Amino acid sequence: MHELGIVFYVVDEIEKVAKEKGATKVLGATLELGEVSSVIPSYFMELWEWTIKKHEMLVDCKLDLVTMKAISYCTECKKTYGTVEFGKTCPNCGSVKTYLVTGNQINLKNIKV
Ligand SMILES: [Zn+2]
């Protein structure tokens, strides 16, 4: 049910932005999904289609999902690397003193009204 909460959040955000713009209809939106955000895109889209039917403003809204690469940073060698490929271990020096810089967030990029 993780995805459903995010769908509701995104719907709220889009409606808020649309109202600020004085729009009555939203035609499209772009959502950035981090690679390690734990959202399954196909499942997310299914819930999205189901949810927007109940929101008059969004019935025609086409959602584009854009995947954002997950990047980790190594505090030992001060380099970044792809999190999905290497996990918590730095491929440059083998250190595990690494942390995720980007890739677990969900951003509403833009909306078309
Ligand atoms: Zn390193």
Side-chain angles (χ1 to χ4, degrees):
M1 294 306 275
H2 175 69
E3 278 84 356
L4 190 57
I6 298 168
V7 169
F8 286 162
Y9 166 76
V10 172
V11 164
D12 279 352
E13 282 299 296
I14 293 175
E15 283 186 335
K16 203 171 81 189
V17 176
K19 277 173 193 157
E20 279 167 12
K21 291 180 182 228
T24 52
K25 278 256 172 205
V26 180
L27 300 177
T30 306
L31 191 69
E32 287 182 336
L33 272 186
E35 249 179 341
V36 292
S37 62
S38 76
V39 170
I40 302 160
S42 59
Y43 184 47
F44 184 90
M45 288 310 288
E46 239 174 73
L47 293 170
W48 166 261
E49 295 295 337
W50 174 80
T51 306
I52 59 171
K53 289 194 182 101
K54 299 178 173 65
H55 293 259
E56 210 180 311
M57 224 181 203
L58 299 175
V59 278
D60 297 321
C61 181
K62 196 188 156 297
L63 188 68
D64 280 322
L65 289 184
V66 180
T67 305
M68 272 169 51
K69 196 170 163 54
I71 302 287
S72 285
Y73 177 78
C74 173
T75 58
E76 291 285 328
C77 69
K78 320 252 184 274
K79 285 179 182 155
T80 57
Y81 63 90
T83 311
V84 169
E85 296 95 310
F86 302 105
K88 283 182 160 44
T89 308
C90 173
N92 303 302
C93 70
S95 170
V96 290
K97 288 179 185 160
T98 61
Y99 63 88
L100 188 70
V101 180
T102 182
N104 62 351
Q105 64 273 73
I106 292 152
N107 298 321
L108 182 61
K109 196 86 199 295
N110 57 53
I111 74 164
K112 199 165 73 189
V113 293

